[in-house]
Amino acid sequence: MDNLENQKNILISFPDGKKKEFSKGIKGLEIAGNISKSLEKKSVAMKVNGEFKDLSDEINNDSKIEIVTIESEDGLEIMRHTLTAQVLAKAIKNLYPKSKLAIGPTIENGFYYDVLLEKPLSNEDLPKIEKEMKKIVQVGNKIKKSYVNKQEALKLFSEKGETYKVDIIKESKQENNFQIYFQENTNFFDLCYGPHLPNLKHVGSFKLTKVAGAYWKGDSKNEMLQRIYGTAWKNEDDLKKYLNILEEAEKRDHRKIGKKLELFHLQEEAVGSVFWHDKGWKIFLEIEAYIRKKLNAQGYKEVKTPQIIDRTLWEKSGHWTKFKENMFLAKGDDNKVLALKPMNCPGHVEIFKQGLKSYRDLPIRMAEFGSCHRNEPSGALHGIMRVRQFTQDDAHIFCTESQVTEESLKFCDLLREIYKDFGFKELKVKFSDRPKERAGTDQVWDKAEKALLKAVKEAKLKYELNPGEGAFYGPKLEFVLTDAIGRDWQCGTLQMDFVLPERLEATYIDENGQKKYPVMLHRAILGSLERWIGIIIEQYSGKFPIWLAPTQITICTITEKNCNYAKAIDKSLKDAGIRTELDNRNEKIGYKIREHSDKKVPIILVVGDKENSTESVSIRRLGNKDFEQMKFNEFIKFFRKELEIK
RNA sequence: GCCGGAUUAGCUCAGUCGGUAGAGCAACUGAUUUGUAAUCAGUGGGUCGGCGGUUCAAAUCCGUCAUCCGGCACCA
């Protein structure tokens, strides 16, 4: 009976729809070879019914099979995985025999491996490790696999002293089929969920990029391991391309550009707070004015709430318990403890509570450019992107449950419109639903999630589910945009809150004369203005569009003779509300052009004798080598029109 | 907060073996009055992040604190 069973054929179907019979127990590599020799050569793994498997794995049932080649995205991923688990790990063990391996996953563009070492690494150690890796790759060993059960696995890794692997095996729910990968002719083996390249000849170009500390299991209570990061690509060209992108990102660094363009500075005496210089502050004010205009048009009412508020309010709102460590405190009279506000919502609720509210008053959309202080951990600070004092484009919408979808929808539209104006085209949305620990009944959560989901769908936004990641008081949407060089930034948020109004006893009177708690929508589009400006500095690489540029036009004279004409032009432009500078220094025009181009001024007007006598200007735009001439009167009209287009 | 690295002129950076500092740009002065990405010459500028230690002698070696950078953890 058993024999008959074993000889039975199985039916394999391929992605192109074709089907073929094979004998039971056939291996992936044999199937690839059966299709073509070239496929066999390129193949590195397979997908069996959508699940990744090694080519050495047997297939015993009718299955859908997809052969993964080294040229595919999946192949690249497997190569990276093998590179970290088999090559980097082995290199570390060769160089540091007493090290203990933890985990080595792939990440975007590369991989890392976490290890415990006797002595922490520094960047100077990377070339040495890289060299060792190259040696291992050059040998080009085959990678083989065996299956063991839990007990065997525990024994293997206990004997080896790999305590982290032992830990992983112990915590695993599975009893059998632990995969042990090893390289032929070596004593190296490692536990891994695979799959791996069948041999190291498929490894492409790679580079170790940085070392860092990282907590075991990502928990700061655990010991710190050494994390070695690397990047890997199909070939040298792809690797170089990627390294170029990194270089480009470095050039765009908002800290560098901020200094060069004199936008802001940071200093020791005010760690985590921005000193805005006039040029940076112009950008800040321009953005604030822009948002204010948008909010006014949408029926928001702007307010301003106190900077310092007694701790009792934070206790009532629930923030004190959770966040008091991160609040800046001030001493008041009679030993009162006051806190610099870390957020605006309780303040807004207090405004809502003034006077009796009717359902007819709702929705109330309360906005504030709220300046907040949070004592962020020192290691979290980053330029102006993560600071201790920041300004939110914050607003809270107090509404009835039936208004939630419409308000959410309106918000999504506004958010998209605003992102578009800043040149962001791609938008991702994460929908975070109920977390394990939460406030409010399941019925309320059902209602809230349904309403929010309806809004995303009606807004025609693509979203991905982020299960269990909602706030404790309600589900939320997180808006992630992609910048000019493909990096993601999470900025906007929309959170539904059924808790805070109740905690702070904010009510309205409904149609039946009953007191009810309103729903509160917490929402921000830019998030923090400081961070937003950091992001757009990098998005534009310092070349701000005209409406945001701190200096929109610089007027350059050719000689002293043109000074009066230049001054007259400067005055007319300033009178028209245009941000200009006048450069009438005794310098060559090439020198001036270079300097102002370097400062990313979008338009340079050159005036010499020719322009003076014809009341015209020469217009040179940033990034253009040539220039055009225009009558000054026309130019001013033309420019104003350009300003209206964002 | 944790791990590693860094901190030298206004800016970007060099500084060997421990022998008390150097470049380019910028600034200032003078000459040049110039047509679309750097005109020439000269001058000044530093408690080498702070404090302490080792040493005849410290930018350099050691300790410590601060800040910044790369990650981790955190992010109401």
Side-chain angles (χ1 to χ4, degrees):
Chain A
M1 196 65 183
D2 261 14
N3 245 349
L4 270 178
E5 212 32 38
N6 282 339
Q7 280 162 13
K8 233 173 87 183
N9 282 351
I10 53 167
L11 194 63
I12 299 294
S13 42
F14 296 101
D16 60 3
K18 283 186 187 144
K19 291 179 183 184
K20 205 166 179 183
E21 273 196 14
F22 290 97
S23 52
K24 190 173 172 180
I26 190 165
K27 293 181 176 180
L29 192 66
E30 291 162 353
I31 295 179
N34 184 281
I35 297 169
S36 77
K37 276 284 152 210
S38 64
L39 183 65
E40 184 182 355
K41 242 187 196 170
K42 288 187 290 190
S43 61
V44 293
M46 62 179 167
K47 260 184 184 172
V48 181
N49 299 322
E51 206 182 314
F52 281 110
K53 292 277 184 189
D54 282 296
L55 288 172
S56 60
D57 282 322
E58 292 176 354
I59 300 156
N60 291 310
N61 297 301
D62 292 354
S63 308
K64 274 189 199 161
I65 302 283
E66 191 185 334
I67 301 293
V68 178
T69 70
I70 188 65
E71 286 150 0
S72 66
E73 279 302 302
D74 287 339
L76 180 60
E77 179 77 9
I78 290 165
M79 190 266 276
R80 285 171 178 159
H81 191 180
T82 306
L83 195 52
T84 183
Q86 287 289 315
V87 182
L88 176 52
K90 186 168 190 303
I92 293 164
K93 290 303 269 189
N94 288 353
L95 294 170
Y96 312 97
K98 284 184 182 159
S99 58
K100 289 178 198 286
L101 299 173
I103 52 161
T106 57
I107 47 172
E108 206 183 353
N109 306 320
F111 56 86
Y112 67 76
Y113 213 111
D114 282 352
V115 286
L116 184 73
L117 295 169
E118 284 183 303
K119 239 174 71 186
L121 295 172
S122 76
N123 284 327
E124 278 78 62
D125 298 310
L126 289 181
K128 194 171 62 190
I129 301 171
E130 213 174 275
K131 212 172 144 193
E132 187 67 21
M133 288 173 75
K134 288 196 170 135
K135 255 162 70 184
I136 294 165
V137 171
Q138 219 158 35
V139 176
N141 272 332
K142 283 188 178 142
I143 293 168
K144 302 195 165 168
K145 180 170 82 170
S146 61
Y147 288 99
V148 296
N149 65 29
K150 196 165 200 163
Q151 254 189 335
E152 290 163 335
L154 282 173
K155 189 169 171 256
L156 271 174
F157 288 99
S158 303
E159 280 170 0
K160 236 181 146 192
E162 294 287 4
T163 48
Y164 295 107
K165 299 290 176 188
V166 170
D167 205 355
I168 292 165
I169 297 163
K170 270 187 189 158
E171 281 191 6
S172 168
K173 281 175 194 146
Q174 74 193 65
E175 285 303 319
N176 289 302
N177 294 332
F178 285 90
Q179 299 190 110
I180 309 293
Y181 286 90
F182 53 98
Q183 287 173 38
E184 58 176 2
N185 309 322
T186 74
N187 56 4
F188 179 81
F189 64 87
D190 198 6
L191 175 78
C192 195
Y193 54 82
H196 279 324
L197 300 176
N199 70 65
L200 294 180
K201 291 189 175 120
H202 287 297
V203 169
S205 301
F206 64 92
K207 185 176 165 59
L208 296 183
T209 48
K210 57 199 167 196
V211 289
Y215 300 107
W216 169 234
K217 288 183 189 163
D219 189 334
S220 59
K221 285 188 213 88
N222 290 339
E223 69 270 33
M224 184 159 267
L225 309 172
Q226 294 293 302
R227 177 170 295 179
I228 302 164
Y229 283 95
T231 183
W233 301 85
K234 255 185 285 187
N235 51 46
E236 199 63 26
D237 265 9
D238 284 7
L239 174 65
K240 272 192 189 142
K241 257 184 231 159
Y242 174 69
L243 295 176
N244 275 340
I245 291 171
L246 290 190
E247 253 174 64
E248 171 63 15
E250 213 172 297
K251 273 187 227 153
R252 285 169 181 252
D253 191 312
H254 75 280
R255 293 163 299 198
K256 225 169 170 169
I257 293 175
K259 195 181 256 178
K260 193 171 133 197
L261 302 191
E262 303 170 276
L263 303 180
F264 58 82
H265 87 269
L266 299 153
Q267 72 183 49
E268 263 185 62
E269 289 82 354
V271 172
S273 297
V274 184
F275 288 80
W276 286 106
H277 297 198
D278 69 310
K279 286 196 162 70
W281 192 240
K282 269 178 193 146
I283 298 171
F284 192 107
L285 290 175
E286 199 60 41
I287 293 174
E288 197 181 83
Y290 162 80
I291 294 289
R292 180 172 285 128
K293 205 170 128 194
K294 292 280 182 193
L295 292 184
N296 281 341
Q298 294 269 327
Y300 284 78
K301 308 278 188 214
E302 190 177 331
V303 300
K304 198 81 182 169
T305 57
Q307 209 51 245
I308 305 175
I309 301 178
D310 195 283
R311 68 183 264 188
T312 50
L313 185 66
W314 305 109
E315 282 167 353
K316 273 187 226 159
S317 72
H319 292 106
W320 186 262
T321 351
K322 215 174 165 193
F323 295 110
K324 64 169 178 288
E325 302 299 324
N326 301 310
M327 283 156 98
F328 286 106
L329 302 180
K331 226 160 77 188
D333 296 339
D334 307 326
N335 290 324
K336 268 190 183 176
V337 177
L338 306 156
L340 265 75
K341 70 169 172 185
M343 53 187 343
N344 311 300
C345 15
H348 290 185
V349 175
E350 293 310 306
I351 291 181
F352 178 89
K353 281 163 65 183
Q354 292 295 305
L356 210 55
K357 295 288 180 301
S358 148
Y359 70 96
R360 294 175 201 272
D361 297 322
L362 304 184
I364 291 174
R365 309 184 186 93
M366 203 183 286
E368 177 171 0
F369 292 98
S371 171
C372 298
H373 289 79
R374 294 179 186 173
N375 198 355
E376 305 283 7
S378 59
L381 303 174
H382 177 85
I384 63 170
M385 300 258 211
R386 188 84 186 267
V387 285
R388 288 187 175 142
Q389 187 197 148
F390 56 94
T391 314
Q392 288 178 316
D393 65 320
D394 200 10
H396 296 92
I397 302 170
F398 298 87
C399 61
T400 66
E401 280 176 24
S402 60
Q403 289 169 331
V404 159
T405 301
E406 198 194 332
E407 286 304 312
S408 302
L409 196 57
K410 269 191 190 162
F411 171 71
C412 289
D413 285 344
L414 178 65
L415 175 131
R416 271 193 292 195
E417 191 184 313
I418 288 173
Y419 285 174
K420 220 173 94 199
D421 280 348
F422 283 96
F424 295 102
K425 286 170 195 136
E426 236 177 278
L427 179 63
K428 283 179 233 163
V429 184
K430 290 194 270 180
F431 181 94
S432 304
D433 61 9
R434 64 190 78 185
K436 273 192 190 132
E437 281 175 48
R438 57 181 184 263
T441 64
D442 281 355
Q443 284 128 302
V444 168
W445 273 91
D446 286 343
K447 238 187 295 185
E449 285 172 3
K450 214 176 135 195
L452 197 56
L453 206 57
K454 198 175 158 209
V456 202
K457 281 184 181 157
E458 278 184 31
K460 290 188 180 121
L461 286 166
K462 268 188 225 156
Y463 66 93
E464 55 185 76
L465 216 54
N466 211 8
E469 292 295 312
F472 72 95
Y473 46 73
K476 63 179 175 184
L477 298 180
E478 274 155 353
F479 300 89
V480 180
L481 44 82
T482 307
D483 75 7
I485 55 170
R487 294 173 303 176
D488 282 351
W489 303 95
Q490 186 173 313
C491 294
T493 180
L494 173 63
Q495 305 171 8
M496 235 172 252
D497 185 353
F498 290 88
V499 173
L500 200 59
E502 191 173 336
R503 278 219 168 135
L504 295 177
E505 296 163 324
T507 55
Y508 68 95
I509 309 295
D510 77 356
E511 296 92 319
N512 306 312
Q514 299 290 312
K515 268 192 184 177
K516 274 204 173 160
Y517 298 117
V519 182
M520 209 173 155
L521 301 183
H522 303 242
R523 41 110 298 165
I525 292 173
L526 309 182
S528 122
L529 263 79
E530 283 76 2
R531 180 158 178 272
W532 182 259
I533 292 173
I535 291 168
I536 62 169
I537 288 173
E538 303 198 359
Q539 155 89 346
Y540 297 130
S541 196
K543 288 173 255 178
F544 290 98
I546 285 174
W547 71 282
L548 280 171
T551 303
Q552 295 170 317
I553 296 176
T554 297
I555 302 135
C556 297
T557 52
I558 300 284
T559 77
E560 232 167 36
K561 283 182 287 177
N562 320 118
C563 230
N564 284 337
Y565 178 58
K567 274 182 189 161
I569 283 177
D570 186 44
K571 187 172 184 307
S572 312
L573 290 169
K574 278 201 167 78
D575 287 349
I578 296 162
R579 298 188 289 269
T580 63
E581 275 176 36
L582 176 60
D583 185 353
N584 54 16
R585 291 174 302 172
N586 174 18
E587 293 289 352
K588 281 177 138 172
I589 191 66
Y591 180 85
K592 294 185 186 182
I593 298 273
R594 182 184 156 83
E595 204 165 80
H596 302 302
S597 299
D598 224 36
K599 296 270 161 135
K600 313 294 181 203
V601 177
I603 289 181
I604 295 173
L605 293 185
V606 176
V607 293
D609 289 345
K610 231 187 314 180
E611 290 78 7
N612 199 342
S613 59
T614 56
E615 299 206 315
S616 61
V617 287
S618 281
I619 308 155
R620 184 185 162 117
R621 284 174 187 273
L622 183 61
N624 284 4
K625 279 229 148 72
D626 43 359
F627 51 96
E628 53 178 324
Q629 293 199 330
M630 209 183 268
K631 291 275 180 201
F632 179 64
N633 284 342
E634 281 170 44
F635 171 74
I636 234 181
K637 266 186 255 164
F638 176 79
F639 185 80
R640 277 180 148 167
K641 220 175 253 169
E642 192 164 323
L643 265 183
E644 283 165 20
I645 313 162
K646 286 210 167 77

